[in-house]
Amino acid sequence: MSSPLDQIQAPIAVEMQEFEKKFRQSMQSNVLLLDKIMSYIVKRKGKQMRPMFVFFMAKLIQEQIPDATYRGAALIELLHTATLVHDDVVDDSNYRRGFFSVNALWKNKIAVLVGDYLLSKGLLLSLNNDDFGLLKIVSNAVREMSEGELLQMEKARRLDITEEVYFDIIRQKTASLIASCCAVGVSSVGADVETVERARLFGEKVGLAFQIKDDLFDYGTAEIGKPVGIDIKEKKMTLPLIYALQQADWLTKRRVIYNVKNNNGKADRINAVIDFVKKSGGLEYSIHCMNNLHADALQLLHTFPASASRDSLEQLIRYTIEREK
């Protein structure tokens, strides 16, 4: 049975198949160990939403996809995969999308070197083909992702994240990558500066909505691949909790923050925080913000001419806020 993403992907199915081949080629190495690890990484690929955004955005401008678009999509996947491999080392994580992480199977030292290798492959793919504009877009996204991660770490120590800081963090950590996919898509087919910026802003709105949806999963019961309350357990301040704390009196706020800081994985403390957020309207407020971002993204998308790709993008951004995992 095909998934909703398979159905959405149908108009670019040929391009995605071609991309698979080109991406595998871009990861090849003469070192046997590296080849083995690259093969493992390719096999455990996720939903592939990033290349989908690249190809759909390119097709908004022209139907025929040039080699530059495939290289742009591969560049994003290479650099993003490098950051994920390094993230798993930083987080000391043994799993990624239900599979063992690279560091779990081959240890930290090899995982760091693999991340470096992927990063250099991406850089060389662009430099060897003079794709300087695409490289600039994606490099900016990687810089923003790193800054967002460090900003979150800095604020997490004090649990003093405001709504404004939260949006700064998720714009950098999550939205910047989807924004770069959209910008790369239109840039790869020769779009002008104004169009590239419009595409980037569209992707940013989608990315923000996507992350809020992810944060809402922490309070639900759907089968989502992570336990409910994991963000609270890890002391991550997300929008539902931030809003709920803004509405609370000083004493309640102090009690809730104490439970977050000292939860030690205890279910009763985590559940107390979840109940507080639900009763304080944190979920409703977050859904309202997510729907507003979705509406903004649609408005930006409709500045592009009507086409099958635009219809598919509408379905894709609806999927990001209606998905169950």
Side-chain angles (χ1 to χ4, degrees):
M1 192 174 139
S2 63
S3 71
L5 271 183
D6 289 334
Q7 293 160 23
I8 293 167
Q9 197 187 97
I12 55 165
V14 174
E15 285 83 3
M16 290 297 287
Q17 278 184 332
E18 184 64 21
F19 168 71
E20 278 285 307
K21 285 192 290 185
K22 289 177 184 286
F23 184 57
R24 283 172 188 270
Q25 287 167 1
S26 70
M27 294 178 87
Q28 282 175 349
S29 157
N30 295 323
V31 178
L32 191 62
L33 175 61
L34 257 177
D35 247 5
K36 190 177 178 182
I37 297 171
M38 293 303 113
S39 175
Y40 179 73
I41 289 171
V42 168
K43 276 180 192 165
R44 61 187 189 121
K45 65 183 185 296
K47 299 185 183 87
Q48 290 200 293
M49 285 176 68
R50 290 172 298 277
M52 285 172 71
F53 272 110
V54 174
F55 291 122
F56 278 135
M57 293 302 290
K59 278 178 173 276
L60 285 181
I61 309 298
Q62 69 177 50
E63 192 56 33
Q64 198 61 38
I65 298 293
D67 282 345
T69 308
Y70 290 102
R71 291 195 301 269
L75 168 65
I76 286 169
E77 285 295 270
L78 285 164
L79 266 58
H80 179 56
T81 307
T83 64
L84 294 182
V85 171
H86 283 162
D87 280 352
D88 287 339
V89 174
V90 170
D91 297 338
D92 200 21
S93 175
N94 289 326
Y95 295 94
R96 167 73 60 180
R97 300 192 192 108
F99 292 89
F100 282 115
S101 59
V102 173
N103 53 297
L105 292 173
W106 287 281
K107 305 304 177 193
N108 284 352
K109 191 171 183 178
I110 288 175
V112 170
L113 293 169
V114 165
D116 292 346
Y117 173 77
L118 289 164
L119 186 63
S120 66
K121 287 291 269 189
L123 296 174
L124 287 168
L125 178 66
S126 295
L127 294 171
N128 290 340
N129 292 282
D130 295 340
D131 295 330
F132 303 118
L134 305 185
L135 182 57
K136 185 176 181 182
I137 291 167
V138 181
S139 297
N140 268 325
V142 174
R143 173 187 57 78
E144 287 212 87
M145 286 159 67
S146 304
E147 287 179 354
E149 194 72 58
L150 287 163
L151 177 60
Q152 187 175 46
M153 285 177 178
E154 176 196 321
K155 295 293 182 181
R157 288 177 188 153
R158 297 195 300 271
L159 296 182
D160 63 349
I161 294 178
T162 61
E163 194 173 318
E164 186 182 2
V165 171
Y166 165 81
F167 275 105
D168 273 347
I169 289 168
I170 68 167
R171 181 184 57 76
Q172 292 183 298
K173 268 188 70 178
T174 304
S176 62
L177 187 65
I178 296 177
S180 73
C181 293
C182 296
V184 160
V186 297
S187 182
S188 69
V189 290
D192 59 33
V193 174
E194 184 275 328
T195 305
V196 173
E197 176 54 23
R198 198 161 18 113
R200 189 200 66 77
L201 195 55
F202 161 74
E204 187 175 278
K205 300 285 186 187
V206 174
L208 292 170
F210 182 94
Q211 185 58 55
I212 293 173
K213 178 68 175 181
D214 232 39
D215 294 343
L216 284 163
F217 283 143
D218 211 41
Y219 298 87
T221 52
E223 182 56 50
I224 53 166
K226 72 171 185 179
V228 170
I230 195 75
D231 288 340
I232 297 165
K233 185 180 176 182
E234 294 175 356
K235 303 179 181 62
K236 285 181 185 169
M237 299 286 283
T238 59
L239 187 59
L241 177 56
I242 291 165
Y243 175 81
L245 286 170
Q246 284 171 353
Q247 313 313 306
D249 59 67
W250 178 81
L251 201 60
T252 305
K253 193 181 289 189
R254 187 177 163 189
R255 189 188 74 245
V256 172
I257 288 176
Y258 177 85
N259 277 337
V260 175
K261 262 186 182 172
N262 303 284
N263 72 74
N264 299 322
K266 290 179 182 173
D268 57 336
R269 288 185 179 175
I270 291 169
N271 288 333
V273 176
I274 290 173
D275 288 343
F276 160 73
V277 170
K278 286 179 174 177
K279 285 172 184 167
S280 304
L283 303 192
E284 289 82 358
Y285 177 75
S286 300
I287 290 166
H288 172 73
C289 289
M290 180 181 72
N291 289 334
N292 281 348
L293 286 161
H294 176 240
D296 290 346
L298 267 182
Q299 197 173 4
L300 281 160
L301 182 59
H302 285 171
T303 63
F304 292 91
S307 66
S309 291
R310 196 179 84 173
D311 293 343
S312 292
L313 278 165
E314 277 194 38
Q315 293 172 47
L316 186 54
I317 61 173
R318 195 181 309 119
Y319 168 82
T320 63
I321 65 164
E322 292 177 357
R323 65 201 161 94
E324 289 302 316
K325 59 181 179 179

PDB file of all heavy atoms in Angstrom, residues 92-123:
ATOM      1  N   ASP A  92      25.386  11.349  21.574  1.00  0.00           N
ATOM      2  CA  ASP A  92      25.679   9.979  22.031  1.00  0.00           C
ATOM      3  C   ASP A  92      24.475   9.072  21.752  1.00  0.00           C
ATOM      4  O   ASP A  92      24.053   8.266  22.587  1.00  0.00           O
ATOM      5  CB  ASP A  92      26.009   9.991  23.536  1.00  0.00           C
ATOM      6  CG  ASP A  92      26.782   8.725  23.944  1.00  0.00           C
ATOM      7  OD1 ASP A  92      27.373   8.091  23.054  1.00  0.00           O
ATOM      8  OD2 ASP A  92      26.766   8.379  25.136  1.00  0.00           O
ATOM      9  N   SER A  93      23.908   9.224  20.555  1.00  0.00           N
ATOM     10  CA  SER A  93      22.704   8.494  20.175  1.00  0.00           C
ATOM     11  C   SER A  93      23.059   7.219  19.417  1.00  0.00           C
ATOM     12  O   SER A  93      23.893   7.241  18.511  1.00  0.00           O
ATOM     13  CB  SER A  93      21.834   9.391  19.289  1.00  0.00           C
ATOM     14  OG  SER A  93      20.726   8.686  18.806  1.00  0.00           O
ATOM     15  N   ASN A  94      22.407   6.115  19.789  1.00  0.00           N
ATOM     16  CA  ASN A  94      22.678   4.832  19.135  1.00  0.00           C
ATOM     17  C   ASN A  94      21.697   4.498  18.019  1.00  0.00           C
ATOM     18  O   ASN A  94      21.874   3.497  17.325  1.00  0.00           O
ATOM     19  CB  ASN A  94      22.655   3.703  20.173  1.00  0.00           C
ATOM     20  CG  ASN A  94      23.861   3.771  21.101  1.00  0.00           C
ATOM     21  OD1 ASN A  94      24.942   4.157  20.691  1.00  0.00           O
ATOM     22  ND2 ASN A  94      23.653   3.423  22.366  1.00  0.00           N
ATOM     23  N   TYR A  95      20.667   5.328  17.877  1.00  0.00           N
ATOM     24  CA  TYR A  95      19.660   5.030  16.851  1.00  0.00           C
ATOM     25  C   TYR A  95      19.347   6.268  16.021  1.00  0.00           C
ATOM     26  O   TYR A  95      19.392   7.394  16.510  1.00  0.00           O
ATOM     27  CB  TYR A  95      18.358   4.521  17.487  1.00  0.00           C
ATOM     28  CG  TYR A  95      18.533   3.189  18.192  1.00  0.00           C
ATOM     29  CD1 TYR A  95      18.805   3.146  19.556  1.00  0.00           C
ATOM     30  CD2 TYR A  95      18.446   1.992  17.490  1.00  0.00           C
ATOM     31  CE1 TYR A  95      18.985   1.926  20.205  1.00  0.00           C
ATOM     32  CE2 TYR A  95      18.627   0.774  18.128  1.00  0.00           C
ATOM     33  CZ  TYR A  95      18.894   0.737  19.479  1.00  0.00           C
ATOM     34  OH  TYR A  95      19.087  -0.456  20.118  1.00  0.00           O
ATOM     35  N   ARG A  96      19.007   6.026  14.759  1.00  0.00           N
ATOM     36  CA  ARG A  96      18.574   7.088  13.854  1.00  0.00           C
ATOM     37  C   ARG A  96      17.509   6.471  12.950  1.00  0.00           C
ATOM     38  O   ARG A  96      17.780   5.538  12.222  1.00  0.00           O
ATOM     39  CB  ARG A  96      19.772   7.610  13.045  1.00  0.00           C
ATOM     40  CG  ARG A  96      19.447   8.491  11.856  1.00  0.00           C
ATOM     41  CD  ARG A  96      18.973   9.871  12.213  1.00  0.00           C
ATOM     42  NE  ARG A  96      19.905  10.667  12.987  1.00  0.00           N
ATOM     43  CZ  ARG A  96      19.641  11.914  13.388  1.00  0.00           C
ATOM     44  NH1 ARG A  96      18.485  12.472  13.089  1.00  0.00           N
ATOM     45  NH2 ARG A  96      20.515  12.586  14.111  1.00  0.00           N
ATOM     46  N   ARG A  97      16.262   6.980  13.051  1.00  0.00           N
ATOM     47  CA  ARG A  97      15.122   6.461  12.284  1.00  0.00           C
ATOM     48  C   ARG A  97      14.923   4.951  12.462  1.00  0.00           C
ATOM     49  O   ARG A  97      14.656   4.217  11.512  1.00  0.00           O
ATOM     50  CB  ARG A  97      15.273   6.751  10.783  1.00  0.00           C
ATOM     51  CG  ARG A  97      15.370   8.204  10.399  1.00  0.00           C
ATOM     52  CD  ARG A  97      15.206   8.364   8.896  1.00  0.00           C
ATOM     53  NE  ARG A  97      15.565   9.705   8.481  1.00  0.00           N
ATOM     54  CZ  ARG A  97      16.669   9.999   7.796  1.00  0.00           C
ATOM     55  NH1 ARG A  97      17.520   9.037   7.463  1.00  0.00           N
ATOM     56  NH2 ARG A  97      16.932  11.231   7.432  1.00  0.00           N
ATOM     57  N   GLY A  98      15.122   4.480  13.686  1.00  0.00           N
ATOM     58  CA  GLY A  98      14.886   3.070  13.971  1.00  0.00           C
ATOM     59  C   GLY A  98      16.028   2.145  13.603  1.00  0.00           C
ATOM     60  O   GLY A  98      15.967   0.939  13.839  1.00  0.00           O
ATOM     61  N   PHE A  99      17.099   2.701  13.010  1.00  0.00           N
ATOM     62  CA  PHE A  99      18.290   1.907  12.672  1.00  0.00           C
ATOM     63  C   PHE A  99      19.416   2.285  13.626  1.00  0.00           C
ATOM     64  O   PHE A  99      19.407   3.372  14.219  1.00  0.00           O
ATOM     65  CB  PHE A  99      18.754   2.197  11.234  1.00  0.00           C
ATOM     66  CG  PHE A  99      17.822   1.710  10.170  1.00  0.00           C
ATOM     67  CD1 PHE A  99      16.785   2.510   9.708  1.00  0.00           C
ATOM     68  CD2 PHE A  99      17.980   0.454   9.609  1.00  0.00           C
ATOM     69  CE1 PHE A  99      15.922   2.070   8.717  1.00  0.00           C
ATOM     70  CE2 PHE A  99      17.127  -0.006   8.611  1.00  0.00           C
ATOM     71  CZ  PHE A  99      16.088   0.806   8.171  1.00  0.00           C
ATOM     72  N   PHE A 100      20.409   1.416  13.731  1.00  0.00           N
ATOM     73  CA  PHE A 100      21.599   1.795  14.492  1.00  0.00           C
ATOM     74  C   PHE A 100      22.267   2.984  13.810  1.00  0.00           C
ATOM     75  O   PHE A 100      22.350   3.044  12.581  1.00  0.00           O
ATOM     76  CB  PHE A 100      22.592   0.625  14.571  1.00  0.00           C
ATOM     77  CG  PHE A 100      22.229  -0.417  15.579  1.00  0.00           C
ATOM     78  CD1 PHE A 100      21.912  -1.705  15.190  1.00  0.00           C
ATOM     79  CD2 PHE A 100      22.202  -0.105  16.936  1.00  0.00           C
ATOM     80  CE1 PHE A 100      21.559  -2.676  16.123  1.00  0.00           C
ATOM     81  CE2 PHE A 100      21.855  -1.061  17.880  1.00  0.00           C
ATOM     82  CZ  PHE A 100      21.532  -2.352  17.472  1.00  0.00           C
ATOM     83  N   SER A 101      22.754   3.941  14.603  1.00  0.00           N
ATOM     84  CA  SER A 101      23.488   5.080  14.054  1.00  0.00           C
ATOM     85  C   SER A 101      24.883   4.636  13.631  1.00  0.00           C
ATOM     86  O   SER A 101      25.357   3.565  14.031  1.00  0.00           O
ATOM     87  CB  SER A 101      23.579   6.200  15.099  1.00  0.00           C
ATOM     88  OG  SER A 101      24.234   5.709  16.262  1.00  0.00           O
ATOM     89  N   VAL A 102      25.550   5.480  12.832  1.00  0.00           N
ATOM     90  CA  VAL A 102      26.903   5.146  12.352  1.00  0.00           C
ATOM     91  C   VAL A 102      27.855   5.001  13.540  1.00  0.00           C
ATOM     92  O   VAL A 102      28.653   4.059  13.599  1.00  0.00           O
ATOM     93  CB  VAL A 102      27.416   6.221  11.365  1.00  0.00           C
ATOM     94  CG1 VAL A 102      28.881   5.983  11.003  1.00  0.00           C
ATOM     95  CG2 VAL A 102      26.567   6.225  10.098  1.00  0.00           C
ATOM     96  N   ASN A 103      27.745   5.891  14.524  1.00  0.00           N
ATOM     97  CA  ASN A 103      28.649   5.825  15.684  1.00  0.00           C
ATOM     98  C   ASN A 103      28.394   4.591  16.549  1.00  0.00           C
ATOM     99  O   ASN A 103      29.305   4.080  17.204  1.00  0.00           O
ATOM    100  CB  ASN A 103      28.558   7.105  16.536  1.00  0.00           C
ATOM    101  CG  ASN A 103      27.146   7.445  16.939  1.00  0.00           C
ATOM    102  OD1 ASN A 103      26.307   7.706  16.081  1.00  0.00           O
ATOM    103  ND2 ASN A 103      26.855   7.441  18.221  1.00  0.00           N
ATOM    104  N   ALA A 104      27.149   4.093  16.544  1.00  0.00           N
ATOM    105  CA  ALA A 104      26.835   2.882  17.319  1.00  0.00           C
ATOM    106  C   ALA A 104      27.506   1.656  16.701  1.00  0.00           C
ATOM    107  O   ALA A 104      27.973   0.769  17.423  1.00  0.00           O
ATOM    108  CB  ALA A 104      25.331   2.670  17.381  1.00  0.00           C
ATOM    109  N   LEU A 105      27.574   1.622  15.379  1.00  0.00           N
ATOM    110  CA  LEU A 105      28.146   0.462  14.687  1.00  0.00           C
ATOM    111  C   LEU A 105      29.656   0.551  14.498  1.00  0.00           C
ATOM    112  O   LEU A 105      30.357  -0.456  14.541  1.00  0.00           O
ATOM    113  CB  LEU A 105      27.471   0.286  13.320  1.00  0.00           C
ATOM    114  CG  LEU A 105      26.000  -0.139  13.343  1.00  0.00           C
ATOM    115  CD1 LEU A 105      25.425  -0.118  11.935  1.00  0.00           C
ATOM    116  CD2 LEU A 105      25.830  -1.520  13.951  1.00  0.00           C
ATOM    117  N   TRP A 106      30.140   1.792  14.236  1.00  0.00           N
ATOM    118  CA  TRP A 106      31.566   1.928  13.909  1.00  0.00           C
ATOM    119  C   TRP A 106      32.341   2.852  14.855  1.00  0.00           C
ATOM    120  O   TRP A 106      33.467   3.237  14.581  1.00  0.00           O
ATOM    121  CB  TRP A 106      31.725   2.445  12.473  1.00  0.00           C
ATOM    122  CG  TRP A 106      31.389   1.405  11.447  1.00  0.00           C
ATOM    123  CD1 TRP A 106      32.185   0.377  11.032  1.00  0.00           C
ATOM    124  CD2 TRP A 106      30.168   1.294  10.689  1.00  0.00           C
ATOM    125  NE1 TRP A 106      31.546  -0.356  10.073  1.00  0.00           N
ATOM    126  CE2 TRP A 106      30.295   0.171   9.836  1.00  0.00           C
ATOM    127  CE3 TRP A 106      28.982   2.019  10.647  1.00  0.00           C
ATOM    128  CZ2 TRP A 106      29.300  -0.229   8.967  1.00  0.00           C
ATOM    129  CZ3 TRP A 106      27.974   1.616   9.774  1.00  0.00           C
ATOM    130  CH2 TRP A 106      28.138   0.501   8.953  1.00  0.00           C
ATOM    131  N   LYS A 107      31.703   3.282  15.938  1.00  0.00           N
ATOM    132  CA  LYS A 107      32.320   4.123  16.980  1.00  0.00           C
ATOM    133  C   LYS A 107      32.485   5.587  16.526  1.00  0.00           C
ATOM    134  O   LYS A 107      32.441   5.911  15.351  1.00  0.00           O
ATOM    135  CB  LYS A 107      33.675   3.562  17.453  1.00  0.00           C
ATOM    136  CG  LYS A 107      33.615   2.119  17.940  1.00  0.00           C
ATOM    137  CD  LYS A 107      32.591   1.937  19.057  1.00  0.00           C
ATOM    138  CE  LYS A 107      32.481   0.488  19.482  1.00  0.00           C
ATOM    139  NZ  LYS A 107      31.294   0.242  20.327  1.00  0.00           N
ATOM    140  N   ASN A 108      32.678   6.443  17.546  1.00  0.00           N
ATOM    141  CA  ASN A 108      32.668   7.894  17.326  1.00  0.00           C
ATOM    142  C   ASN A 108      33.737   8.392  16.351  1.00  0.00           C
ATOM    143  O   ASN A 108      33.469   9.247  15.512  1.00  0.00           O
ATOM    144  CB  ASN A 108      32.844   8.632  18.660  1.00  0.00           C
ATOM    145  CG  ASN A 108      31.573   8.616  19.486  1.00  0.00           C
ATOM    146  OD1 ASN A 108      30.529   8.193  19.017  1.00  0.00           O
ATOM    147  ND2 ASN A 108      31.669   9.062  20.723  1.00  0.00           N
ATOM    148  N   LYS A 109      34.943   7.872  16.489  1.00  0.00           N
ATOM    149  CA  LYS A 109      36.052   8.378  15.669  1.00  0.00           C
ATOM    150  C   LYS A 109      35.747   8.215  14.181  1.00  0.00           C
ATOM    151  O   LYS A 109      35.919   9.146  13.383  1.00  0.00           O
ATOM    152  CB  LYS A 109      37.344   7.640  16.035  1.00  0.00           C
ATOM    153  CG  LYS A 109      38.595   8.264  15.450  1.00  0.00           C
ATOM    154  CD  LYS A 109      39.841   7.605  16.029  1.00  0.00           C
ATOM    155  CE  LYS A 109      41.087   8.284  15.505  1.00  0.00           C
ATOM    156  NZ  LYS A 109      42.310   7.690  16.081  1.00  0.00           N
ATOM    157  N   ILE A 110      35.266   7.020  13.810  1.00  0.00           N
ATOM    158  CA  ILE A 110      34.934   6.755  12.410  1.00  0.00           C
ATOM    159  C   ILE A 110      33.733   7.601  11.981  1.00  0.00           C
ATOM    160  O   ILE A 110      33.719   8.158  10.879  1.00  0.00           O
ATOM    161  CB  ILE A 110      34.677   5.248  12.189  1.00  0.00           C
ATOM    162  CG1 ILE A 110      36.006   4.491  12.255  1.00  0.00           C
ATOM    163  CG2 ILE A 110      33.983   4.985  10.853  1.00  0.00           C
ATOM    164  CD1 ILE A 110      35.896   2.986  12.183  1.00  0.00           C
ATOM    165  N   ALA A 111      32.740   7.750  12.864  1.00  0.00           N
ATOM    166  CA  ALA A 111      31.549   8.535  12.534  1.00  0.00           C
ATOM    167  C   ALA A 111      31.904   9.992  12.229  1.00  0.00           C
ATOM    168  O   ALA A 111      31.393  10.579  11.268  1.00  0.00           O
ATOM    169  CB  ALA A 111      30.541   8.471  13.676  1.00  0.00           C
ATOM    170  N   VAL A 112      32.792  10.576  13.027  1.00  0.00           N
ATOM    171  CA  VAL A 112      33.221  11.967  12.789  1.00  0.00           C
ATOM    172  C   VAL A 112      33.906  12.078  11.420  1.00  0.00           C
ATOM    173  O   VAL A 112      33.640  13.010  10.648  1.00  0.00           O
ATOM    174  CB  VAL A 112      34.156  12.464  13.913  1.00  0.00           C
ATOM    175  CG1 VAL A 112      34.791  13.797  13.544  1.00  0.00           C
ATOM    176  CG2 VAL A 112      33.378  12.593  15.223  1.00  0.00           C
ATOM    177  N   LEU A 113      34.774  11.122  11.103  1.00  0.00           N
ATOM    178  CA  LEU A 113      35.477  11.138   9.820  1.00  0.00           C
ATOM    179  C   LEU A 113      34.516  10.931   8.646  1.00  0.00           C
ATOM    180  O   LEU A 113      34.682  11.532   7.585  1.00  0.00           O
ATOM    181  CB  LEU A 113      36.579  10.071   9.805  1.00  0.00           C
ATOM    182  CG  LEU A 113      37.744  10.328  10.770  1.00  0.00           C
ATOM    183  CD1 LEU A 113      38.640   9.100  10.865  1.00  0.00           C
ATOM    184  CD2 LEU A 113      38.557  11.541  10.324  1.00  0.00           C
ATOM    185  N   VAL A 114      33.505  10.087   8.846  1.00  0.00           N
ATOM    186  CA  VAL A 114      32.486   9.869   7.812  1.00  0.00           C
ATOM    187  C   VAL A 114      31.720  11.169   7.550  1.00  0.00           C
ATOM    188  O   VAL A 114      31.458  11.531   6.400  1.00  0.00           O
ATOM    189  CB  VAL A 114      31.517   8.729   8.218  1.00  0.00           C
ATOM    190  CG1 VAL A 114      30.257   8.729   7.350  1.00  0.00           C
ATOM    191  CG2 VAL A 114      32.218   7.381   8.097  1.00  0.00           C
ATOM    192  N   GLY A 115      31.355  11.883   8.632  1.00  0.00           N
ATOM    193  CA  GLY A 115      30.690  13.180   8.485  1.00  0.00           C
ATOM    194  C   GLY A 115      31.552  14.160   7.707  1.00  0.00           C
ATOM    195  O   GLY A 115      31.063  14.861   6.807  1.00  0.00           O
ATOM    196  N   ASP A 116      32.840  14.187   8.029  1.00  0.00           N
ATOM    197  CA  ASP A 116      33.778  15.066   7.308  1.00  0.00           C
ATOM    198  C   ASP A 116      33.850  14.686   5.831  1.00  0.00           C
ATOM    199  O   ASP A 116      33.903  15.549   4.946  1.00  0.00           O
ATOM    200  CB  ASP A 116      35.185  14.967   7.922  1.00  0.00           C
ATOM    201  CG  ASP A 116      35.243  15.551   9.331  1.00  0.00           C
ATOM    202  OD1 ASP A 116      34.292  16.260   9.715  1.00  0.00           O
ATOM    203  OD2 ASP A 116      36.234  15.292  10.036  1.00  0.00           O
ATOM    204  N   TYR A 117      33.859  13.376   5.566  1.00  0.00           N
ATOM    205  CA  TYR A 117      33.938  12.872   4.189  1.00  0.00           C
ATOM    206  C   TYR A 117      32.704  13.319   3.392  1.00  0.00           C
ATOM    207  O   TYR A 117      32.821  13.819   2.264  1.00  0.00           O
ATOM    208  CB  TYR A 117      34.035  11.346   4.198  1.00  0.00           C
ATOM    209  CG  TYR A 117      33.952  10.721   2.834  1.00  0.00           C
ATOM    210  CD1 TYR A 117      35.042  10.737   1.962  1.00  0.00           C
ATOM    211  CD2 TYR A 117      32.767  10.104   2.397  1.00  0.00           C
ATOM    212  CE1 TYR A 117      34.954  10.168   0.699  1.00  0.00           C
ATOM    213  CE2 TYR A 117      32.675   9.531   1.138  1.00  0.00           C
ATOM    214  CZ  TYR A 117      33.774   9.566   0.294  1.00  0.00           C
ATOM    215  OH  TYR A 117      33.697   9.006  -0.959  1.00  0.00           O
ATOM    216  N   LEU A 118      31.517  13.162   3.982  1.00  0.00           N
ATOM    217  CA  LEU A 118      30.284  13.569   3.308  1.00  0.00           C
ATOM    218  C   LEU A 118      30.278  15.067   3.023  1.00  0.00           C
ATOM    219  O   LEU A 118      29.852  15.515   1.953  1.00  0.00           O
ATOM    220  CB  LEU A 118      29.070  13.200   4.171  1.00  0.00           C
ATOM    221  CG  LEU A 118      28.741  11.712   4.270  1.00  0.00           C
ATOM    222  CD1 LEU A 118      27.798  11.448   5.434  1.00  0.00           C
ATOM    223  CD2 LEU A 118      28.121  11.213   2.973  1.00  0.00           C
ATOM    224  N   LEU A 119      30.747  15.833   3.998  1.00  0.00           N
ATOM    225  CA  LEU A 119      30.832  17.284   3.841  1.00  0.00           C
ATOM    226  C   LEU A 119      31.740  17.641   2.665  1.00  0.00           C
ATOM    227  O   LEU A 119      31.374  18.448   1.798  1.00  0.00           O
ATOM    228  CB  LEU A 119      31.379  17.897   5.139  1.00  0.00           C
ATOM    229  CG  LEU A 119      31.418  19.418   5.250  1.00  0.00           C
ATOM    230  CD1 LEU A 119      30.033  20.012   5.193  1.00  0.00           C
ATOM    231  CD2 LEU A 119      32.103  19.831   6.546  1.00  0.00           C
ATOM    232  N   SER A 120      32.911  17.002   2.586  1.00  0.00           N
ATOM    233  CA  SER A 120      33.856  17.310   1.500  1.00  0.00           C
ATOM    234  C   SER A 120      33.301  16.859   0.144  1.00  0.00           C
ATOM    235  O   SER A 120      33.507  17.538  -0.868  1.00  0.00           O
ATOM    236  CB  SER A 120      35.212  16.652   1.764  1.00  0.00           C
ATOM    237  OG  SER A 120      35.101  15.244   1.722  1.00  0.00           O
ATOM    238  N   LYS A 121      32.571  15.736   0.114  1.00  0.00           N
ATOM    239  CA  LYS A 121      31.968  15.270  -1.140  1.00  0.00           C
ATOM    240  C   LYS A 121      30.958  16.287  -1.664  1.00  0.00           C
ATOM    241  O   LYS A 121      30.884  16.564  -2.866  1.00  0.00           O
ATOM    242  CB  LYS A 121      31.271  13.920  -0.932  1.00  0.00           C
ATOM    243  CG  LYS A 121      32.201  12.742  -0.753  1.00  0.00           C
ATOM    244  CD  LYS A 121      32.961  12.381  -2.019  1.00  0.00           C
ATOM    245  CE  LYS A 121      32.237  11.366  -2.868  1.00  0.00           C
ATOM    246  NZ  LYS A 121      33.060  10.854  -3.988  1.00  0.00           N
ATOM    247  N   GLY A 122      30.171  16.849  -0.740  1.00  0.00           N
ATOM    248  CA  GLY A 122      29.197  17.866  -1.125  1.00  0.00           C
ATOM    249  C   GLY A 122      29.864  19.115  -1.664  1.00  0.00           C
ATOM    250  O   GLY A 122      29.469  19.655  -2.702  1.00  0.00           O
ATOM    251  N   LEU A 123      30.899  19.569  -0.962  1.00  0.00           N
ATOM    252  CA  LEU A 123      31.625  20.771  -1.395  1.00  0.00           C
ATOM    253  C   LEU A 123      32.240  20.562  -2.777  1.00  0.00           C
ATOM    254  O   LEU A 123      32.132  21.422  -3.666  1.00  0.00           O
ATOM    255  CB  LEU A 123      32.725  21.119  -0.378  1.00  0.00           C
ATOM    256  CG  LEU A 123      32.263  21.495   1.030  1.00  0.00           C
ATOM    257  CD1 LEU A 123      33.451  21.664   1.964  1.00  0.00           C
ATOM    258  CD2 LEU A 123      31.431  22.776   1.021  1.00  0.00           C
TER     259      LEU A 123
END
